[in-house]
Amino acid sequence: MTAPVTTDSETDEAPAADQGGRGAVRRYGLLAVAAALVVGLVLGYAGGLLTPTLTRPGENSAEAGFARDMTAHHNQAVAMGLLAFSQGQDPEVRQVGVDIATGQQGEIGTMQTWLRSWKLDPTGDQAPMAWMPDGGGLVKNGLMPGMATPEEMAKLRAASGREFDVLFLQMMIRHHIGGVHMIDGILDEGHDDDVLAVAQTMKNTQQNDLTNLGAALKRLGGTP
């Protein structure tokens, strides 16, 4: 006899005491998210391959600096997004977490493909943010704008329930504000049309995220 199929929505409505069942759903969900991250990365690589290579940005160009620094910046956002999906209590927090993780993973693929197509290494000799006129003043304790410290990331990993949800939203808002400032930098300093087009899309996405993150934080009674 075939067992009845339980949908994710039905499982989400199960009693909170059923931690075993909820844990199984979360593990299954994480596998799906992992697969989505791989797909996003592959699509990002494919998108990056469409960038023309007739005129390649050089080693110390703003484009190369942006691709390298924003990859590192995005890596932390992906980690935070996955934490939100696996540990978040609020459904919107979980959804925005996975959306940010998969979206920024795809953008990482695009930026790394740019660097390869430009015959440049994933990392360079320049200090972080050196490609921006005000870059030196933006780096604090080795961290680019908006990035969380190791202590803040440890606190997020240790949090649960509403405390986690509010902390994630606060940290991601700061992270995105810093990211938008970096994007504005490449929009001002860059010359490659394809890089500028992708950067503008990144900015539009993150500004939309900021609106949603702020609304969720307000709903949960948190402060920016």
Side-chain angles (χ1 to χ4, degrees):
M1 179 176 179
T2 304
V5 176
T6 302
T7 65
D8 287 349
S9 61
E10 290 171 337
T11 306
D12 286 342
E13 295 172 0
D18 184 13
Q19 296 299 320
R22 184 177 292 271
V25 170
R26 289 292 177 89
R27 287 193 295 274
Y28 177 81
L30 283 173
L31 290 175
V33 171
L37 289 174
V38 172
V39 171
L41 192 62
V42 170
L43 291 175
Y45 284 142
L49 289 172
L50 299 177
T51 303
T53 58
L54 296 177
T55 303
R56 295 191 179 106
E59 175 65 28
N60 296 324
S61 65
E63 284 84 357
F66 172 76
R68 288 163 172 160
D69 287 350
M70 191 55 84
T71 290
H73 203 271
H74 272 21
N75 278 332
Q76 188 179 73
V78 170
M80 291 168 63
L82 291 177
L83 283 174
F85 177 75
S86 62
Q87 294 179 216
Q89 174 178 278
D90 185 80
E92 185 179 1
V93 167
R94 294 182 60 197
Q95 185 61 56
V96 75
V98 75
D99 288 346
I100 289 172
T102 54
Q104 296 209 1
Q105 187 77 355
E107 291 170 356
I108 288 170
T110 296
M111 292 184 289
Q112 290 302 299
T113 301
W114 287 343
L115 291 169
R116 281 196 295 274
S117 70
W118 299 336
K119 310 300 182 185
L120 301 177
D121 291 332
T123 57
D125 296 331
Q126 285 192 319
M129 306 302 298
W131 56 276
M132 281 183 67
D134 62 346
L138 295 174
V139 178
K140 306 295 184 184
N141 299 318
L143 297 173
M144 289 177 284
M147 291 187 71
T149 66
E151 293 76 16
E152 288 171 330
M153 289 298 294
K155 183 178 179 180
L156 184 65
R157 285 190 291 269
S160 61
R162 179 185 174 279
E163 178 190 4
F164 175 92
D165 293 339
V166 169
L167 185 58
F168 166 77
L169 292 169
Q170 292 169 332
M171 290 172 62
M172 189 58 78
I173 286 171
R174 292 196 299 270
H175 200 276
H176 268 15
I177 290 173
V180 168
H181 186 68
M182 293 170 66
I183 295 168
D184 282 338
I186 192 60
L187 291 175
D188 290 339
E189 301 296 324
H191 301 285
D192 185 286
D193 289 341
D194 293 278
V195 172
L196 295 177
V198 171
Q200 185 62 58
T201 299
M202 286 184 187
K203 180 176 179 177
N204 296 343
T205 299
Q206 292 198 28
Q207 287 179 323
N208 184 64
D209 285 346
L210 282 168
T211 298
N212 295 333
L213 291 165
L217 184 60
K218 182 178 180 180
R219 176 173 56 80
L220 292 176
T223 56

